[in-house]
Amino acid sequence: MRTLRLEIWVGLGVILALSVVSLGVGVIKLSWEQAFSDPEALRVLIVIRLPRTLAVLITGAVLAMAGIILQAIVRNRFVEPMTTGTGQGAALGILLATILIPTAPLILRMGLAATTALAASLGFLAIVRRLPVTQPLLVPLVGLIYGALLGAVSVFFAYQFDLQQSIAIWTTGEFSGVLKGRYELLWLAALAGGLVYLIADQLAIIGMGQTMATGLGVNYWQIMAAGLLVISLVTALTVVTVGMIPFVGLVVPNIISRRYGDNLRQTLPLVALTGAGLVLISDILGRILRFPFEIPVGSVFGVIGAVFFLMILYSRSRSAY
Amino acid sequence: MITASNITHQHNGKPVLKDVSVQIPGGGITALVGPNGAGKSTLLSLIARLQPLQSGQVLVNGLDVQTTPARNMARTLAILPQTTEVTPRLTVAELVGFGRYPHHRGRPGPQDVAKVDEAIETFDLTDFRDRPLDSLSGGQRQRAFVAMVFAQDTEYVLLDEPLNNLDIAASRSLMQTLQGLTRDHGRTVVIVLHDINYACAYADTMITLTDGRLGPCGTPGDIVSDAMMQQVFRTDARILRVGDRVLVEA
């Protein structure tokens, strides 16, 4: 059986190297000697740079995983949570929480965001099930419209309550606000992502359709529910902590799946590593392109992602699945 | 033995099966035949628990398909999915490996690996072992799916019109492979066939359906006749007998 051990080690190595770069890039100049001698420099590393780097890695990894899970559930390669309503649902939820229960603890507001994200995902699935299977491209298009509609609802409420700035923060992914003490929720997302590995085989099987799942004794609806729960939780956590980063969940699974197939037990770790690596590269680029100002990581990845998405769409006829 | 009793099924308020009771013997190939819309695919999907029963009962070796845990059912009865659906992005060995899933639930042991190897060898797929499914021909891909079902190691294998989109060489080769499954490995194959001539040539038992009701059942040699063609298919095709074989005029 094919294993991807070498690829995973290479991926880990690249991520380690990128992390070192990421720790070194910032407005405050740091050298390695300083980090060990100067307590102020050490503080910058521990309070700002390290949390930011970790937040980027976790976000990239879990968004890529959420993408491949949604693709298995919907059986369509052109969907991802951030463009098909889940992300917009999470943003709407956190907005409603800010309006309705502004004094509630973060975990409660977070819970509301995860709930609306889940409801939005279920809505998407309900719509998609009615689409003709012969038209696979209708699915992402309907998803985009659906997501935009939910986004419009958010903007309406934000306008009414003068919260447009907050909406902008949740819908534009960037990591400059990440500090020690303000990103730790993401570890919950990392945990959820890790747990997905336990149902990797079941997800791969439901990705082959309901007949296959029934034939192999997998409870189709149960695995679907578990997958959706993870997607909603991970999306809500990232939207609230760092904002929406579109295309990660679309681009990364497509790269990996095209090259290594869909045996998720083998490929999930690689999907996570590639997502982490690409988002970290985008974040580093965002920090140095207009130094000392920053370009939000969502914009950097959006440019890369949009080009890639068009490439996938146009190369469909050659290797269509 | 598969026992279906008093199956009545409606689809969108339209009756598809009307009080069908039938027994499918263990061993050999049993073909479900009948005109379009007769309800043969519905009957198969109800036996395969792909949709819930509306009334009646299906027992497979005494196990009620409605109430038996999914995993136990998956070790008794396998379904060959239609390969006309989206081809999974897997290699042959990976696909066949998924056939062992009901046995190992994600932790393949040495006997699972051995079973996969055996399946790959039995179906002549050794050369394609690490090839992606979508790089194979339709017939080879079909064989990989049969190998997966073989590795699943179930007494019963169900197939719904597997010959769609296969040319005559691939169709004959698949039917011979299924015959091998029953003769050499003691499996029971239940298959929905569109083409009555394939049923005549390969089935040990034939079950006919018309308008949701059970028609004549038995060996093809016994039941296929001018009268039966008229009753089941409403056509006056003549029957040709060559030795002990039956052919239906096209």
Side-chain angles (χ1 to χ4, degrees):
Chain A
M1 192 89 35
R2 205 170 39 150
T3 57
L4 303 172
R5 254 183 229 122
L6 176 70
E7 283 85 350
I8 287 170
W9 282 114
V10 170
L12 281 172
V14 170
I15 283 191
L16 202 67
L18 285 170
S19 302
V20 172
V21 174
S22 167
L23 289 177
V25 174
V27 176
I28 301 168
K29 277 217 161 69
L30 277 185
S31 68
W32 284 109
E33 302 87 69
Q34 271 177 302
F36 296 106
S37 54
D38 180 358
E40 191 53 31
L42 190 66
R43 222 177 67 83
V44 169
L45 265 185
I46 289 176
V47 175
I48 302 173
R49 301 274 172 86
L50 186 66
R52 178 175 189 153
T53 306
L54 287 172
V56 172
L57 290 175
I58 295 173
T59 304
V62 297
L63 287 184
M65 286 174 87
I68 204 161
I69 298 170
L70 188 66
Q71 287 162 19
I73 289 174
V74 182
R75 301 192 72 199
N76 187 299
R77 299 199 179 274
F78 305 116
V79 295
E80 62 122 343
M82 290 293 177
T83 53
T84 54
T86 312
Q88 290 78 5
L92 183 59
I94 196 69
L95 179 75
L96 290 178
T98 309
I99 296 169
L100 299 173
I101 45 171
T103 52
L106 180 59
I107 195 82
L108 209 65
R109 286 181 281 148
M110 186 54 240
L112 185 61
T115 310
T116 49
L118 183 61
S121 320
L122 289 172
F124 174 60
L125 281 189
I127 296 171
V128 160
R129 283 185 86 81
R130 277 159 226 272
L131 294 176
V133 278
T134 46
Q135 302 280 331
L137 285 182
L138 267 183
V139 174
L141 290 177
V142 167
L144 282 173
I145 296 167
Y146 176 69
L149 267 174
L150 287 176
V153 175
S154 290
V155 170
F156 171 76
F157 282 117
Y159 183 74
Q160 295 291 315
F161 291 88
D162 204 14
L163 285 167
Q164 289 111 303
Q165 282 221 311
S166 308
I167 270 288
I169 288 171
W170 295 315
T171 50
T172 319
E174 56 131 4
F175 293 93
S176 63
V178 172
L179 292 175
K180 189 171 185 293
R182 285 177 54 182
Y183 83 103
E184 280 72 5
L185 269 179
L186 284 178
W187 285 107
L188 208 59
L191 180 72
L195 288 178
V196 165
Y197 196 66
L198 295 178
I199 54 164
D201 280 334
Q202 283 103 315
L203 282 170
I205 289 170
I206 72 163
M208 290 187 259
Q210 204 168 351
T211 304
M212 192 80 156
T214 309
L216 293 176
V218 169
N219 188 329
Y220 186 78
W221 299 106
Q222 200 181 318
I223 296 302
M224 194 147 166
L228 278 180
L229 207 63
V230 170
I231 291 170
S232 308
L233 190 66
V234 155
T235 305
L237 286 164
T238 47
V239 166
V240 170
T241 321
V242 297
M244 274 177 17
I245 307 177
F247 293 116
V248 180
L250 182 72
V251 172
V252 177
N254 273 292
I255 299 176
I256 298 301
S257 166
R258 190 158 280 213
R259 178 99 178 70
Y260 300 104
D262 277 336
N263 188 6
L264 294 185
R265 183 166 291 280
Q266 298 287 334
T267 58
L268 261 183
L270 213 55
V271 167
L273 285 175
T274 310
L278 284 182
V279 175
L280 189 52
I281 290 175
S282 304
D283 184 57
I284 294 172
L285 278 178
R287 274 185 269 170
I288 53 183
L289 282 178
R290 277 180 66 205
F291 192 85
F293 305 102
E294 287 199 17
I295 304 172
V297 68
S299 311
V300 179
F301 202 100
V303 171
I304 304 173
V307 172
F308 194 85
F309 189 42
L310 286 174
M311 275 165 56
I312 310 172
L313 284 181
Y314 281 103
S315 67
R316 241 186 107 253
S317 53
R318 199 165 45 82
S319 56
Y321 282 92
Chain B
M1 163 107 75
I2 297 175
T3 314
S5 351
N6 310 108
I7 309 285
T8 297
H9 201 84
Q10 301 196 334
H11 185 66
N12 293 338
K14 231 182 68 194
V16 184
L17 292 171
K18 299 165 193 160
D19 196 29
V20 171
S21 294
V22 67
Q23 289 196 335
I24 298 170
I29 296 180
T30 297
L32 298 176
V33 298
N36 287 343
K40 40 193 199 309
S41 288
T42 305
L43 181 59
L44 191 87
S45 70
L46 290 172
I47 295 172
R49 76 208 183 279
L50 291 175
Q51 40 181 325
L53 279 170
Q54 291 168 351
S55 71
Q57 191 186 40
V58 175
L59 298 176
V60 178
N61 277 359
L63 301 174
D64 188 326
V65 297
Q66 294 285 87
T67 53
T68 307
R71 184 186 179 191
N72 293 357
M73 234 26 253
R75 289 189 287 191
T76 307
L77 182 147
I79 309 154
L80 193 91
Q82 279 179 331
T83 41
T84 45
E85 266 199 66
V86 193
T87 308
R89 278 185 189 174
L90 297 173
T91 64
V92 170
E94 285 170 339
L95 178 76
V96 177
F98 274 113
R100 295 302 297 165
Y101 182 77
H103 300 272
H104 64 59
R105 300 240 117 190
R107 295 167 176 276
Q111 87 250 38
D112 297 308
V113 177
K115 204 78 201 170
V116 170
D117 288 342
E118 187 195 335
I120 287 175
E121 211 160 296
T122 308
F123 294 96
D124 231 359
L125 292 160
T126 315
D127 293 343
F128 311 116
R129 201 188 158 92
D130 293 316
R131 288 258 302 270
L133 289 172
D134 63 342
S135 69
L136 305 181
S137 73
Q140 291 162 341
R141 201 179 308 153
Q142 185 73 263
R143 231 163 56 222
F145 275 94
V146 177
M148 179 195 92
V149 162
F150 176 81
Q152 199 176 338
D153 215 5
T154 56
E155 188 179 339
Y156 297 91
V157 176
L158 271 49
L159 306 89
D160 189 4
E161 301 202 5
L163 304 185
N164 284 353
N165 298 337
L166 290 187
D167 61 19
I168 182 162
S171 298
R172 294 186 66 233
S173 149
L174 177 67
M175 290 312 294
Q176 285 160 5
T177 308
L178 294 175
Q179 219 161 32
L181 269 184
T182 62
R183 287 190 187 152
D184 308 334
H185 303 282
R187 310 293 178 87
T188 304
V189 169
V190 184
I191 184 170
V192 172
L193 285 176
H194 210 70
D195 186 335
I196 187 163
N197 272 320
Y198 276 95
C200 290
Y202 294 97
D204 300 295
T205 309
M206 200 185 246
I207 292 172
T208 61
L209 282 168
T210 337
D211 289 334
R213 288 185 202 285
L214 206 60
C217 301
T219 63
D222 287 344
I223 64 163
V224 177
S225 65
D226 295 350
M228 175 267 194
M229 287 307 292
Q230 191 59 254
Q231 182 200 338
V232 175
F233 291 95
R234 304 219 165 79
T235 177
D236 54 1
R238 281 177 307 169
I239 309 303
L240 312 165
R241 287 179 189 271
V242 184
D244 58 348
R245 308 199 59 167
V246 200
L247 286 172
V248 177
E249 182 192 44

